[in-house]
Amino acid sequence: MNRIAVYVQAHDPILRAGVASQLRQRPEVRLVGEDEARVALVVGDTVDEELLRSLKVLRCRPDLRILVISRHVDDAGLIAVMEIGVAGLVRRAEATPDRLLSIIEAAAKGEGCLPPDLLGRLLSQVGSLQRDVLGPRGLSFTGLADREVQVLRLVADGYDTAEIAARLCYSQRTVKSVMHDVTTRLNLRNRSHAVAYALRNGLL
């Protein structure tokens, strides 16, 4: 059996010992130091600045899957941990040995996990952000404005600058400006790289 290497971190030593003692009973996992871990469990009372700092430090290891166990999570904390890129979150009251094992195994497979009510709150926050902040500015969560997506789609279909301008009723200068903005903002080398990026990230 390939045991999952798990690191447990908590600023409160009692919290850390409690979670570690639950995991020691499970043959599917082995407790290791931070450098050896495949999955990290960060345990806290609430999602505060101290916990967020710990997550940001761990996030420096791109191969490490991070899970948060917290007693209380408000909307701001939920958004904050998602922005950092955690693989999942579970409330301490629900962190039974079976539940911990389930989320660790899911994280190790590259899957995410979030309690249904927190998922609902997150989706509500995302919808509000799109509706109230991004939408009025002509932006979406892709980071691209509508006209940038339109131009990229036509580039991907093989149209040149003049043809794109004619189809979208833009000037050629506007089309060139749009492509320049996209490649500069996303650190892309050229039009082909921009199209490849958009396809790879499901933007087209």
Side-chain angles (χ1 to χ4, degrees):
M1 174 189 297
N2 287 327
R3 301 169 74 196
I4 302 169
V6 176
Y7 168 63
V8 179
Q9 178 175 309
H11 292 286
D12 182 334
I14 294 176
L15 282 181
R16 186 185 186 285
V19 172
S21 68
Q22 292 193 58
L23 293 176
R24 281 196 190 93
Q25 306 167 24
R26 307 306 298 240
E28 299 92 343
V29 303
R30 61 188 177 91
L31 297 180
V32 298
E34 179 183 338
D35 293 339
E36 300 174 67
R38 185 174 169 197
V39 175
L41 293 181
V42 180
V43 189
D45 194 51
T46 187
V47 178
D48 55 15
E49 286 302 316
E50 189 174 46
L51 186 140
L52 292 173
R53 277 196 299 272
S54 297
L55 295 177
K56 288 172 184 174
V57 170
L58 292 170
R59 187 72 275 159
C60 293
R61 266 194 57 195
D63 60 323
L64 183 64
R65 303 285 291 170
I66 305 170
L67 298 167
V68 172
I69 303 172
S70 179
R71 182 183 62 80
H72 173 73
V73 185
D74 61 17
D75 287 349
L78 179 60
I79 292 294
V81 297
M82 291 299 116
E83 285 178 339
I84 290 172
V86 302
L89 188 151
V90 66
R91 292 187 182 88
R92 271 181 21 209
E94 300 165 355
T96 63
D98 286 343
R99 179 66 177 144
L100 286 177
L101 180 61
S102 172
I103 66 171
I104 288 169
E105 290 178 332
K109 294 174 187 172
E111 300 170 1
C113 46
L114 204 60
D117 67 303
L118 291 185
L119 179 58
R121 281 163 52 188
L122 179 62
L123 291 174
S124 177
Q125 290 286 322
V126 167
S128 177
L129 181 59
Q130 176 65 53
R131 183 177 59 254
D132 301 333
V133 179
L134 298 178
R137 291 167 175 79
L139 298 173
S140 67
F141 277 101
T142 64
L144 298 173
D146 289 342
R147 73 175 186 173
E148 291 173 335
V149 173
Q150 290 175 334
V151 170
L152 276 175
R153 282 179 176 150
L154 292 174
V155 170
D157 288 338
Y159 292 99
D160 63 24
T161 300
E163 291 170 325
I164 293 170
R167 280 180 163 262
L168 298 178
C169 298
Y170 294 156
S171 69
Q172 292 189 44
R173 182 175 180 177
T174 297
V175 173
K176 289 176 181 177
S177 175
V178 167
M179 285 306 302
H180 178 267
D181 289 348
V182 170
T183 54
T184 301
R185 192 169 68 248
L186 300 178
N187 295 316
L188 304 170
R189 293 185 298 276
N190 49 42
R191 289 163 65 114
S192 298
H193 192 194
V195 171
Y197 173 90
L199 289 170
R200 189 167 56 248
N201 289 279
L203 307 183
L204 298 180

